[in-house]
């Protein structure tokens, strides 16, 4: 009786789909871990983990809190003005991010941060473009996720 009710309930079906996708994404790392270890040495996997966490931290910092503004104020804006609101938030984010990345690239501040965070020196110059691309990708992924 309850099973039929919840099986035909639209809210329950949506929740189950989202929950199963979240479990699949989070559980994927558990299954991919042995593959990563076979393809990389322990030191390389450690650097990968550090760089992944650095990308996450920088993405949250260089987002300038725009994902919070988008999530909180989106529903307060009139329906016809929502597109303009999202455009303005993303335009501000793009300009601020562009200026920040230009300053980071020109001053090489990211090299100093990596040097501070890692005890052993790593070849960050070979990862630099991928880290910056990962930061930008994470920022706009977070914006899309919060939308």
């Amino acid at each position: 009786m309850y099973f039929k009710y919840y099986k035909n309930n639209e809210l329950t079906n949506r929740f189950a789909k989202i929950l199963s996708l979240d479990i699949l994404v989070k559980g994927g790392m558990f299954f991919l871990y042995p593959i990563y270890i076979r393809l990389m040495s322990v030191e390389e996997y450690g650097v990968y983990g550090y760089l992944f966490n650095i990308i996450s931290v920088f993405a949250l910092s260089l987002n300038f809190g725009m994902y919070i503004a988008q999530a909180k104020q989106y529903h307060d804006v009139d329906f016809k003005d929502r597109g303009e609101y999202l455009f303005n938030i993303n335009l501000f984010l793009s300009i601020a991010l562009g200026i920040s990345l230009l300053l980071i690239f020109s001053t090489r501040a990211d090299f100093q941060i990596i040097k501070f965070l890692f005890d052993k020196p790593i070849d960050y110059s070979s990862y630099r473009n991928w880290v910056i691309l990962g930061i930008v990708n994470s920022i706009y992924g977070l914006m899309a996720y919060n939308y």
Side-chain angles (χ1 to χ4, degrees):
M1 182 164 140
Y2 287 113
F3 183 73
K4 284 185 179 182
Y5 172 74
Y6 287 116
K7 183 179 179 190
N8 297 328
N9 188 339
E10 183 179 351
L11 181 65
T12 306
N13 288 333
R14 287 183 183 175
F15 178 74
K17 287 177 186 176
I18 291 172
L19 181 64
S20 63
L21 183 64
D22 194 40
I23 289 171
L24 182 65
V25 169
K26 301 248 188 310
M29 275 305 290
F30 178 74
F31 294 112
L32 291 175
Y33 181 73
I35 295 171
Y36 288 154
I37 292 299
R38 288 178 202 253
L39 295 175
M40 294 185 259
S41 68
V42 176
E43 291 83 17
E44 290 171 335
Y45 186 75
V47 169
Y48 166 77
Y50 274 130
L51 291 177
F52 190 80
N53 287 327
I54 287 169
I55 288 170
S56 300
V57 169
F58 279 136
L60 282 176
S61 302
L62 291 175
N63 192 291
F64 305 108
M66 290 292 104
Y67 70 99
I68 296 171
Q70 177 181 307
K72 286 188 175 185
Q73 295 177 350
Y74 178 76
H75 296 288
D76 294 340
V77 176
D78 290 335
F79 184 75
K80 62 181 180 152
D81 296 331
R82 286 182 180 171
E84 184 179 343
Y85 177 72
L86 289 176
F87 175 78
N88 288 334
I89 283 180
N90 285 305
L91 179 65
F92 171 78
L93 179 61
S94 297
I95 292 170
L97 184 61
I99 292 170
S100 298
L101 290 178
L102 184 66
L103 287 172
I104 289 171
F105 263 112
S106 64
T107 62
R108 298 176 59 95
D110 54 337
F111 281 94
Q112 298 302 321
I113 293 170
I114 295 297
K115 187 177 177 182
F116 173 74
L117 292 175
F118 286 92
D119 286 339
K120 295 180 180 179
I122 64 167
D123 186 20
Y124 176 68
S125 59
S126 64
Y127 302 119
R128 186 180 194 203
N129 293 332
W130 294 108
V131 168
I132 300 297
L133 183 65
I135 290 169
V136 172
N137 186 33
S138 295
I139 288 171
Y140 286 107
L142 181 62
M143 293 298 285
Y145 180 76
N146 275 329
Y147 172 69

